[in-house]
Amino acid sequence: MAAAVAVIASVGAGVAGVAQAAPAKVVLGGSSGIVFDNNSACSLTAIGYDSANRLVGLTAGHCAPTGAKLGSEQGIAAGAVGVVAYSDNGEGLDFAVLQFDPERVEPVRKVGATTIAGIGTPPGPGTTVCSNGRTSGPGCGVVWGNLDDSVTINQACSKPGDSGGPVTVGDKLVGMNQGRLTGLAGIGFDLPCASAANPIHSPAFFAPIDVILAAVNARGGVGAGFRTL
C-alpha cells in the first residue's frame, strides 16, 4: 500500500517543461476499493451526484480525514482522482463525503456482483441484505435488528478494508458497512469470518443509508442532495 500512497502523493508534481498526457479515467462504483494518502484502504459505498451536480461518493468516516486525497485501488497508476470533502473521522455517524474529479472518474452502477440503482427503505429484522467490499467480496446475511437508529446488526461478513462498502437489498442501497461487532452488552466476542460464504462468525453492523443521507443534507455543501446514478 505504501507504493499506492507514493503514487497518489506524487500527483501534480510533474516534470518542468514536459507535457503530461491526459490520464485515463478510472472506473468507480459501489464496492470499489479506494486508497487514501493516509495509507488506508476502504470500500466505496456508492457514487452519484449531489444537488449542485458534483460527482460525489460516500464511505466510512474512519477511513480518512477531511482533505485526504484518494485514488482507485484498481487504477492506482492514475494517481489521485478525488478528495475527502468531509469526514467525521468515525466520531459521529462514521461517514465521509468524497468529491471526485469528473475528468478522471467514470462512475458506474454495477461493480462485480453489486448493482446500485437507487435508495431503498431500511431493512427490518429477518431481511436478507447483501454487502460487498474490497477485502471480502460479495456476501449476504440476515438482519438481526437495530442497536439504535444508526446501527443495524446483520449476519454478513466484514473484514478490514470492507468499511464503507454498500449494503443492498436487490439493486437498492440500504446501508453503509462500518465493521464487525466484537462485543455486546458488556460481553466481548470476536469470531472473524473466514470467507463471505461462511455464516459462522461475529455479525457485522451498518448504518442505514437514510440516516447517513439525512446527516449529509443537514450539513449542506458537497454531497447534499445525493442521488445515485
Side-chain angles (χ1 to χ4, degrees), residues 111-187:
V111 174
T114 298
T115 299
I116 296 175
I119 304 297
T121 57
T127 304
T128 296
V129 296
C130 295
S131 61
N132 198 355
R134 62 170 291 277
T135 308
S136 300
C140 301
V142 173
V143 169
W144 285 19
N146 302 320
L147 288 184
D148 56 39
D149 290 342
S150 64
V151 179
T152 299
I153 308 303
N154 69 109
Q155 198 58 44
C157 179
S158 183
K159 298 179 182 180
D162 291 333
S163 292
V167 179
T168 56
V169 174
D171 64 0
K172 297 298 187 288
L173 180 68
V174 298
M176 173 193 291
N177 181 29
Q178 293 179 328
R180 184 175 72 247
L181 196 67
T182 57
L184 186 64
I187 301 173

Side-chain angles (χ1 to χ4, degrees), residues 78-107:
V81 297
V83 66
V84 179
Y86 171 77
S87 172
D88 69 4
N89 280 310
E91 297 299 322
L93 290 174
D94 193 12
F95 74 92
V97 178
L98 314 175
Q99 183 170 0
F100 297 105
D101 181 347
E103 299 299 318
R104 309 289 303 282
V105 174
E106 180 182 344

